[in-house]
Amino acid sequence: MPIKQLFLIPIFFLLISLSPRPKLQIAVATHQDTPIDSTIIKEQLWVDSVFNSLNEDQRLGQLFMLAAFSNKTKKHTDEIEQLIEKQSIGGLIFFQGGPVRQAMLTNRYQSLSKVPLLIAMDAEWGIGMRLDKDSSLSYPKQMTLGAIQDNHQIYLMGKEIARQCKRMGMHINFAPVVDVNSNPKNPVIGIRSFGENKEQVALKGIAYTKGMQDNGVMACAKHFPGHGDTDVDSHASLPVIKNTKERITDIDLYPFRRLIADSVMSIMVAHLHMPAFDSRPNMATTLSPAVVTDLLKKDMGFKGLIFTDALNMKGVSSFYKPGEVDVLALIAGNDVMLYSEDVGVAIKKIKKAIEDSILLQSDLDLRVKKILHAKYWAGLHKYKPIALTNLYQDLNNSRAKAVQLETYAQAITLMRNDAKLMPMKFIDTTTIATVSIGLEKGNQFQQMVDNYAVATHFSIPKNPDVGKIDSLLLALKKYEVVLVGLHGTNPFNNRDYGISENAKILILKINQQKKMILTTFSNPYSLRFFNNIPNLICAYEDNESTQKIVPQVIFGARPATGKLPITASLEYPLNSGISTEKAVWRMRYSHPETVQMDNQTLLKIDTLINTEIEQGTMPGCQVMVAKDGQIVFNKSYGHLTYDKLQPVTNNTIYDIASITKMAGTLQAVMFLEERGLIEIDKKASYYLPELKNTNKEDLIIQDILTHQAGLIPFMAHWKNTLDSSGFMARYYRKEKSDSFNLEVVPGLYALSSMEDTLWKWSIASDLQKMKTKKQKHYEYAYSDLGFYIMKRMVERIINQPINEFMEQNFYAPLNLRTLCYKPLERYSPNLIAPTENDTIFRKTQLRGSVHDQGAALLGGVGGHAGIFSNASDLLTLFQMNLNNGYYGGKRYFLENTVQRFAQRQFPHNRRGLGWDKPEFNGGGPTSRYVSTQTFGHTGYTGTAVWIDPKNNIVFVFLCNRGYPIDNNKKLIKHNTRTRVQDLVYKAMINYFE
């Protein structure tokens, strides 16, 4: 074998140990013509070059990784700089600080180092574990991850954490923890462990490891040989594990063996005393050759980097002086000394140990080269400084937040559902209260509940006194279901996880008097306090994500899929958990990336709309987008009026104008048609005999719904009620009475029989003329009069006002609180966007009174106009239509009804039955990117709703473009609505670019 190939053999094995890919089988070359991988040669040349450029002290300096902080004084920074320049240390592990400050320091430190530094962090649940919470994301702790059943989600989390680490110039994350937490009283591991099942710990550790290493960040399995069965914190003293070698091998070492066999590139050794492996008194495993060399290297065959745990921890520092402990760590077989207390002293003692033949220079040289190989793998052979521009934005982008939210969501565990309350069905007939224990009222949990149900919210301190408990119990008596959130806890067993006795008493009393769903936002071991609670959710952690997710689980917007990763009690053993994955009923709140949409593209909507507002296109608006049943964009812009006194919020209510046809009358028509009470190929006169012997006797319902029945576009009925002096006394009064009870605007009431009068005028209206006698249908001409007819027909069949029918059969069951006719009967005008300053007919500002004059004469309830709504409620109604009539566990239409009505009916007419459709050749009211299956409608006031079944999208745009004057046509001229809709579709396209 050629000398070169003999030299490279150990490098192959080294590269295997450092590779993030599955372990390879290497055949030793036996022929001089066997080619050598050029990348391996390049790596070896770089390692040799760097190694040869270092003197003895600089080489030894590579064996040290020191702690660095970005929130300390200049004195600390100067000390780190001196260690880099004088001791040539190999790396830094960053702790507290901020991301931008850390990045700036990293660039500074790297510029001073002769050999690029390995930068690491103890980021078990992401960089937010160490850095400022307001500028860094935290992901679920490992026990929360232990509840997840799809380990690919853990891989995705590892991938995202790797991206953030690399963006911060870091190369190693000291994670995952693969300790099997077999001791519930463990004070230092606990929720940092995946759980008590060795197989699950191993599998989840592998997923986390692969997620990081496949994306360029070295993982580090810890705390070898297993810190899970301790009741002492090694930061404070040296834990003693008295288990047998057989038990340790079977349980604690199992995950490490699995990760070594897979791909893990580094391992951290813990400060533990294990007499089963080394019986010398106070001998920490970190310093034991029997553990590090014999067990880890020889028996388990690990060839990657071996890190000590921090050498300033009392588990070792209590027994050895600085420098001495470093020598012992090297003798034991470790490669990198972490958090050494005195590098200068340590190097002197290491050199003395070499002189005394306690340590071999050749052995240390191999370890230095191993570290240099790791640096090459990390890309430090082509080091570039961290780009500081947009650092915060890159770390906290929407994709990162999407991974965070979805990872938490998959962990939520439904422990008990004895009363079958979840997912909650009858929210329209159930009185609901929420109680937050240990968290202020108006928190994220309660806000999310408001998206699904009408609820009254209460909060109470984490340790309430008797008076507060009694007062709350009295207030809860009138509610049927109480949703209780337990907050403000801590992870420590010896403090009952921060759960007070009074909080436990309160929970038990609420459970005794009401149907209660309890969510513990706490350490899962605390479930033992609630063995008798019949409806129980474990959220594991208390943060914005879990508080948003749990209500979605309760109301059926998200499934419960988690399983308990530990044994909390006899009632709640390992793997407890009820799955509800098939019961996804309602709208989910998520991030664009979850449904493969690019958030950066969606954010361009902000610029577009703000520009339109500045140009006077509209005072403000709401935009809402749902894809795959998930709300991914929900924003409000501008103000209700141009004086900017009141901002638009997501609760602002708008007059949706002609969308009333779809959101009201057409829903009723479909309802009746599928029950055989209406046949669309029949004449309207079949149901409305008064049309017989008129020019409308032969109008077919299908033609009316597709706007080709020959009806004129509109009738200015209101003009017939005015004379030269204004409002005619026969039609109006300023005081409401039985004879004048139709509110046109507050302070003006129309004749109670006005609807009959308008109906007579409508019947008497002319029809358009056909161009030729051969025509079977009139030319397409959009008309409001068709929905005067549809409303009259529906009400004749149901014998009930359409607004009452819609409320009972659709709006209340769907919990659509703002979607209604006559909103002033429910809401303050302050919640409603003004539509116009009417200077022609009503001579007043229209705010909560329907803009359309004909609908106003009907008291605000027209077949063609009259409905008000915010974007959220409107989207929910149309999501039900997209779902083919199903929502919230209830079926509103037969499965094919909406599809039939949404299809084009005639080759020459783009319309469906009632529904509008895209133009045949693009353009028109929709984005050019929508599918041909799309259906929806636009409204005169500046509103639009479009449903795209192919892409599973609902798009809602609401504004009051006609305020203060109705002739503002900029929204149409600028094509604003379709340009916003374009960005929604471009967000799908750009996601993959």
Side-chain angles (χ1 to χ4, degrees):
M1 184 184 299
I3 294 175
K4 180 184 288 186
Q5 292 185 14
L6 282 170
F7 176 73
L8 287 173
I9 288 174
I11 301 168
F12 275 117
F13 284 106
L14 176 61
L15 291 174
I16 295 166
S17 68
L18 292 179
S19 173
R21 296 176 292 277
K23 201 166 186 178
L24 304 175
Q25 297 296 321
I26 299 296
V28 177
T30 58
H31 191 278
Q32 62 180 8
D33 294 329
T34 302
I36 299 297
D37 189 336
S38 63
T39 59
I40 295 175
I41 295 174
K42 289 179 181 178
E43 177 172 342
Q44 187 61 45
L45 289 173
W46 183 85
V47 169
D48 289 342
S49 173
V50 173
F51 181 83
N52 292 331
S53 72
L54 302 176
N55 61 36
E56 182 182 4
D57 285 4
Q58 290 170 336
R59 291 172 185 173
L60 293 178
Q62 292 295 301
L63 301 171
F64 294 89
M65 180 172 278
L66 276 298
F69 298 77
S70 60
N71 64 347
K72 288 193 174 184
T73 63
K74 185 176 183 297
K75 179 183 177 183
H76 169 74
T77 304
D78 291 342
E79 290 172 351
I80 296 296
E81 291 182 358
Q82 288 179 11
L83 285 167
I84 294 170
E85 293 181 305
K86 294 183 178 181
Q87 306 294 350
S88 196
I89 59 173
L92 295 171
I93 172 174
F94 272 97
F95 287 90
Q96 290 87 1
V100 176
R101 285 172 287 160
Q102 178 175 315
M104 294 173 67
L105 281 176
T106 299
N107 285 345
R108 169 65 178 160
Y109 294 150
Q110 290 284 24
S111 72
L112 298 174
S113 184
K114 181 175 181 179
V115 181
L117 298 160
L118 274 177
I119 306 296
M121 182 176 278
D122 225 356
E124 295 166 19
W125 49 89
I127 63 176
M129 177 178 174
R130 295 299 181 189
L131 300 181
D132 296 340
K133 300 296 184 289
D134 59 349
S135 56
S136 309
L137 290 178
S138 290
Y139 290 86
K141 297 177 177 64
Q142 288 192 199
M143 190 160 286
T144 307
L145 299 176
I148 292 174
Q149 299 306 291
D150 180 6
N151 290 335
H152 182 64
Q153 186 63 38
I154 299 173
Y155 175 91
L156 295 176
M157 186 198 79
K159 177 181 179 180
E160 178 54 37
I161 290 175
R163 184 193 69 82
Q164 293 181 36
C165 286
K166 288 183 71 175
R167 184 64 180 87
M168 288 283 293
M170 295 188 289
H171 317 105
I172 304 171
N173 183 12
F174 289 124
V177 173
V178 290
D179 302 316
V180 180
N181 201 69
S182 53
N183 187 344
K185 295 182 180 180
N186 196 319
V188 64
I189 303 303
I191 58 174
R192 296 167 65 195
S193 165
F194 289 115
E196 68 181 54
N197 179 276
K198 65 179 184 180
E199 181 70 24
Q200 288 302 312
V201 169
L203 291 173
K204 294 176 191 305
I206 289 170
Y208 193 173
T209 295
K210 283 182 176 292
M212 289 191 290
Q213 293 185 174
D214 286 356
N215 293 279
V217 169
M218 185 184 297
C220 182
K222 62 185 187 184
H223 306 82
F224 186 84
H227 211 317
D229 192 11
T230 60
D231 54 11
V232 172
D233 186 346
S234 55
H235 293 84
S237 61
L238 182 63
V240 179
I241 296 179
K242 299 179 180 179
N243 294 329
T244 65
K245 184 179 291 188
E246 290 73 24
R247 174 182 165 82
I248 294 169
T249 300
D250 178 49
I251 297 175
D252 298 287
L253 293 179
Y254 179 83
F256 290 99
R257 287 190 186 276
R258 291 289 302 272
L259 266 72
I260 290 170
D262 190 86
S263 62
V264 72
M265 296 172 66
S266 69
I267 285 177
M268 179 184 288
V269 184
H271 303 317
L272 307 168
H273 180 45
M274 284 188 172
F277 288 97
D278 194 330
S279 60
R280 289 177 291 171
N282 300 321
M283 178 50 64
T285 47
T286 334
L287 311 181
S288 171
V291 172
V292 181
T293 295
D294 296 341
L295 177 60
L296 179 56
K297 289 184 171 182
K298 294 180 180 178
D299 180 29
M300 300 177 72
F302 183 62
K303 295 179 174 64
L305 281 180
I306 302 174
F307 291 86
T308 70
D309 208 340
L311 295 179
N312 68 333
M313 292 166 61
K314 296 300 182 182
V316 290
S317 64
S318 297
F319 306 102
Y320 302 98
K321 294 179 181 179
E324 293 178 357
V325 71
D326 303 82
V327 171
L328 291 172
L330 288 172
I331 291 171
N334 296 283
D335 297 314
V336 182
M337 271 65 67
L338 194 63
Y339 216 141
S340 177
E341 293 188 280
D342 194 323
V343 176
V345 171
I347 288 178
K348 289 179 181 179
K349 289 188 177 292
I350 292 169
K351 291 169 74 173
K352 181 66 169 62
I354 294 171
E355 289 177 12
D356 296 340
S357 298
I358 297 171
L359 287 169
L360 295 177
Q361 182 69 59
S362 59
D363 185 44
L364 293 181
D365 287 349
L366 285 175
R367 298 189 210 186
V368 172
K369 288 184 177 181
K370 188 192 288 190
I371 292 166
L372 293 176
H373 276 291
K375 290 187 176 186
Y376 189 96
W377 180 90
L380 286 172
H381 61 295
K382 49 184 179 181
Y383 164 76
K384 291 182 180 179
I386 303 165
L388 300 178
T389 304
N390 294 324
L391 177 61
Y392 172 84
Q393 292 83 350
D394 291 344
L395 293 175
N396 298 279
N397 65 29
S398 183
R399 293 195 183 209
K401 293 175 181 177
V403 172
Q404 178 194 50
L405 187 71
E406 294 309 310
T407 308
Y408 273 115
Q410 289 196 27
I412 302 301
T413 305
L414 178 58
M415 302 304 305
R416 291 180 65 176
N417 193 21
D418 296 3
K420 306 298 180 186
L421 289 180
M422 294 171 279
M424 289 191 69
K425 297 180 182 179
F426 307 109
I427 55 176
D428 57 317
T429 58
T430 304
T431 54
I432 299 171
T434 73
V435 176
S436 291
I437 301 174
L439 197 63
E440 291 295 319
K441 187 176 176 181
N443 53 70
Q444 293 290 338
F445 176 82
Q446 293 177 332
Q447 289 181 40
M448 186 57 71
V449 168
D450 284 337
N451 288 320
Y452 297 103
V454 177
T456 304
H457 304 300
F458 301 90
S459 67
I460 196 166
K462 59 190 291 186
N463 187 19
D465 58 35
V466 174
K468 284 186 171 63
I469 290 175
D470 290 343
S471 177
L472 177 60
L473 291 172
L474 181 63
L476 293 176
K477 282 190 173 181
K478 61 181 180 180
Y479 300 96
E480 297 172 68
V481 176
V482 181
L483 311 179
V484 178
L486 180 58
H487 305 272
T489 63
N490 66 54
F492 305 114
N493 171 69
N494 61 352
R495 302 177 196 170
D496 276 0
Y497 310 103
I499 303 171
S500 69
E501 288 302 315
N502 282 354
K504 297 173 192 173
I505 291 169
L506 171 61
I507 289 168
L508 291 175
K509 287 188 174 182
I510 295 175
N511 186 62
Q512 288 168 0
Q513 73 177 35
K514 292 293 176 185
K515 292 179 181 178
M516 180 188 73
I517 297 173
L518 171 65
T519 301
T520 61
F521 293 91
S522 60
N523 187 318
Y525 284 113
S526 68
L527 292 170
R528 61 187 172 87
F529 299 133
F530 308 109
N531 287 330
N532 297 317
I533 301 300
N535 305 291
L536 179 64
I537 295 172
C538 181
Y540 298 92
E541 300 179 43
D542 190 6
N543 53 50
E544 184 174 307
S545 293
T546 55
Q547 289 174 29
K548 287 180 176 179
I549 293 163
V550 169
Q552 297 183 57
V553 172
I554 290 173
F555 292 99
R558 287 183 179 270
T561 58
K563 301 291 181 184
L564 194 64
I566 49 91
T567 296
S569 66
L570 291 176
E571 183 68 30
Y572 305 125
L574 176 69
N575 292 325
S576 300
I578 301 167
S579 177
T580 63
E581 65 263 33
K582 293 183 180 179
V584 181
W585 292 347
R586 297 188 173 95
M587 297 303 299
R588 180 184 303 183
Y589 286 78
S590 192
H591 291 277
E593 279 71 15
T594 306
V595 293
Q596 298 184 333
M597 296 179 76
D598 177 54
N599 186 61
Q600 291 302 310
T601 304
L602 289 176
L603 290 178
K604 293 180 180 179
I605 294 174
D606 296 353
T607 303
L608 191 160
I609 289 180
N610 288 329
T611 300
E612 291 294 315
I613 291 172
E614 291 173 5
Q615 294 176 352
T617 302
M618 57 200 168
C621 68
Q622 294 174 345
V623 179
M624 200 166 186
V625 180
K627 186 177 188 302
D628 300 338
Q630 303 182 51
I631 294 168
V632 295
F633 194 89
N634 184 19
K635 286 191 177 184
S636 295
Y637 301 88
H639 296 78
L640 302 189
T641 58
Y642 287 109
D643 57 20
K644 299 183 178 181
L645 296 178
Q646 187 177 348
V648 177
T649 72
N650 291 349
N651 295 318
T652 299
I653 301 169
Y654 283 92
D655 182 339
I656 66 171
S658 287
I659 295 176
T660 297
K661 297 179 178 74
M662 311 300 108
T665 309
L666 186 63
Q667 302 291 304
V669 169
M670 291 190 293
F671 181 94
L672 297 175
E673 189 271 347
E674 68 179 22
R675 287 162 175 77
L677 298 175
I678 291 175
E679 295 180 32
I680 62 170
D681 57 354
K682 284 191 174 182
K683 297 177 181 180
S685 59
Y686 177 84
Y687 304 97
L688 298 170
E690 62 268 34
L691 295 179
K692 293 180 178 179
N693 300 318
T694 73
N695 62 353
K696 297 175 180 60
E697 179 177 5
D698 295 325
L699 301 188
I700 305 297
I701 294 173
Q702 184 182 34
D703 289 336
I704 294 173
L705 291 173
T706 52
H707 298 274
Q708 57 181 33
L711 297 167
I712 58 176
F714 67 95
M715 289 185 67
H717 293 114
W718 59 278
K719 291 183 178 180
N720 296 335
T721 67
L722 305 179
D723 58 19
S724 58
S725 61
F727 299 113
M728 297 170 64
R730 63 181 293 192
Y731 294 120
Y732 299 100
R733 293 287 189 277
K734 293 183 178 180
E735 298 286 336
K736 186 176 183 179
S737 66
D738 291 341
S739 299
F740 293 85
N741 64 2
L742 298 177
E743 184 178 275
V744 179
V745 289
L748 182 66
Y749 300 90
L751 186 69
S752 303
S753 61
M754 180 67 83
E755 183 166 3
D756 291 335
T757 301
L758 264 61
W759 180 234
K760 291 178 181 177
W761 292 343
S762 298
I763 292 174
S765 64
D766 293 331
L767 292 177
Q768 298 183 59
K769 294 182 179 180
M770 287 191 177
K771 291 183 177 180
T772 67
K773 294 182 179 180
K774 295 182 179 180
Q775 282 183 247
K776 293 182 179 179
H777 306 281
Y778 287 90
E779 293 292 322
Y780 165 78
Y782 181 77
S783 172
D784 282 345
L785 289 183
F787 277 81
Y788 279 79
I789 296 172
M790 290 296 103
K791 173 180 179 283
R792 191 80 171 187
M793 183 176 67
V794 166
E795 290 183 334
R796 185 73 57 84
I797 293 171
I798 64 176
N799 194 30
Q800 183 184 21
I802 195 169
N803 56 315
E804 294 179 7
F805 173 82
M806 291 302 300
E807 180 68 22
Q808 293 169 8
N809 291 279
F810 291 91
Y811 306 157
L814 286 165
N815 194 39
L816 309 180
R817 285 161 283 173
T818 67
L819 203 157
C820 61
Y821 301 84
K822 301 187 287 188
L824 292 176
E825 294 182 355
R826 299 187 185 187
Y827 298 105
S828 163
N830 290 331
L831 291 174
I832 306 171
T835 313
E836 180 193 2
N837 286 339
D838 185 355
T839 59
I840 299 176
F841 173 32
R842 285 154 285 189
K843 312 289 186 180
T844 188
Q845 183 189 82
L846 303 179
R847 190 167 191 176
S849 300
V850 62
H851 175 268
D852 183 89
Q853 299 93 338
L857 292 176
L858 299 173
V861 183
H864 63 297
I867 292 179
F868 287 70
S869 182
N870 67 4
S872 177
D873 283 351
L874 199 57
L875 185 141
T876 299
L877 176 68
F878 285 89
Q879 181 69 41
M880 178 271 287
N881 281 262
L882 176 58
N883 295 348
N884 294 318
Y886 184 81
Y887 191 88
K890 181 176 179 179
R891 181 155 288 287
Y892 293 84
F893 297 118
L894 297 176
E895 192 164 349
N896 66 342
T897 298
V898 178
Q899 294 179 15
R900 287 191 292 107
F901 273 72
Q903 292 173 355
R904 287 196 179 103
Q905 304 296 304
F906 302 98
H908 62 281
N909 183 338
R910 76 169 191 256
R911 294 269 174 170
L913 291 170
W915 298 103
D916 198 1
K917 300 277 291 178
E919 288 281 9
F920 291 103
N921 298 314
T926 66
S927 164
R928 63 186 183 277
Y929 299 112
V930 302
S931 76
T932 56
Q933 298 174 24
T934 299
F935 59 99
H937 215 273
T938 56
Y940 183 79
T941 53
T943 56
V945 178
W946 292 103
I947 302 166
D948 186 343
K950 182 177 180 180
N951 292 299
N952 212 6
I953 286 178
V954 182
F955 169 74
V956 178
F957 183 102
L958 301 182
C959 80
N960 55 336
R961 61 97 195 155
Y963 185 86
I965 53 174
D966 185 48
N967 64 359
N968 180 2
K969 306 296 184 183
K970 290 181 180 179
L971 188 79
I972 298 171
K973 290 180 179 178
H974 297 176
N975 212 19
T976 306
R977 289 170 288 189
T978 53
R979 286 164 59 210
V980 172
Q981 196 178 18
D982 283 345
L983 289 172
V984 173
Y985 283 81
K986 287 179 181 178
M988 291 192 295
I989 298 168
N990 293 344
Y991 177 84
F992 296 99
E993 293 182 354

